[in-house]
Amino acid sequence: MIKIYHNPRCRKSREGLQIVENSGKEFEIREYLKELPSEEELSSVIGLLKIKPIDLVRKNEAIWKESYKGKELSDSEIIKAMAENPKLIERPIVIHNNVAVIGRPPEKIQQIL
């Protein structure tokens, strides 16, 4: 089953959800700002994305700029920051068949569907 980490207030996330809906495949929506992901879940998603934790961070968010920017953080500290402040997580993230992509641009989602 397809899983999309979704923020309904984000235009790119809504566009990504539309692509998933149009695929006609069964999917699950994870509104990660309401149902916060654990550090373990984020680590798993990062592994599927095959990226470094810092590459999943929205670096223009005020929380990042005020609390983390310019600091030397370990991967686990970055993951903890995202778990505690899920607004820092890039979106949308789509997972299908143990492969994941960040839907920026949203058309990248079609590659795994």
Side-chain angles (χ1 to χ4, degrees), residues 36-50:
L36 306 182
S38 66
E39 291 177 43
E40 294 78 19
E41 182 180 357
L42 284 171
S43 292
S44 174
V45 169
I46 289 165
L48 292 174
L49 287 165
K50 296 182 168 92

Side-chain angles (χ1 to χ4, degrees), residues 55-71:
D55 297 327
L56 190 58
V57 173
R58 295 175 53 85
K59 295 167 199 76
N60 286 326
E61 287 290 332
I63 298 165
W64 181 260
K65 290 179 180 178
E66 293 164 9
S67 302
Y68 304 102
K69 186 178 180 181
K71 293 183 180 177

Side-chain angles (χ1 to χ4, degrees), residues 9-97:
R9 297 188 67 199
C10 171
R11 183 175 56 87
K12 295 287 185 199
S13 194
R14 290 190 306 268
E15 289 174 15
L17 179 59
Q18 188 72 49
I19 291 168
V20 171
E21 288 173 339
N22 291 343
S23 75
K25 297 178 180 175
E26 200 173 317
F27 65 94
E28 165 190 350
I29 298 173
R30 174 71 183 274
E31 286 193 36
Y32 64 92
L33 294 177
K34 291 181 182 174
E35 187 183 338
L36 306 182
S38 66
E39 291 177 43
E40 294 78 19
E41 182 180 357
L42 284 171
S43 292
S44 174
V45 169
I46 289 165
L48 292 174
L49 287 165
K50 296 182 168 92
I51 62 173
K52 298 288 257 167
I54 192 67
D55 297 327
L56 190 58
V57 173
R58 295 175 53 85
K59 295 167 199 76
N60 286 326
E61 287 290 332
I63 298 165
W64 181 260
K65 290 179 180 178
E66 293 164 9
S67 302
Y68 304 102
K69 186 178 180 181
K71 293 183 180 177
E72 282 291 322
L73 300 171
S74 67
D75 286 352
S76 61
E77 289 171 324
I78 293 168
I79 291 168
K80 182 176 182 176
M82 286 188 287
E84 291 173 354
N85 305 284
K87 279 186 159 186
L88 293 175
I89 301 169
E90 273 291 359
R91 65 224 178 212
I93 301 167
V94 177
I95 302 171
H96 184 231
N97 292 332

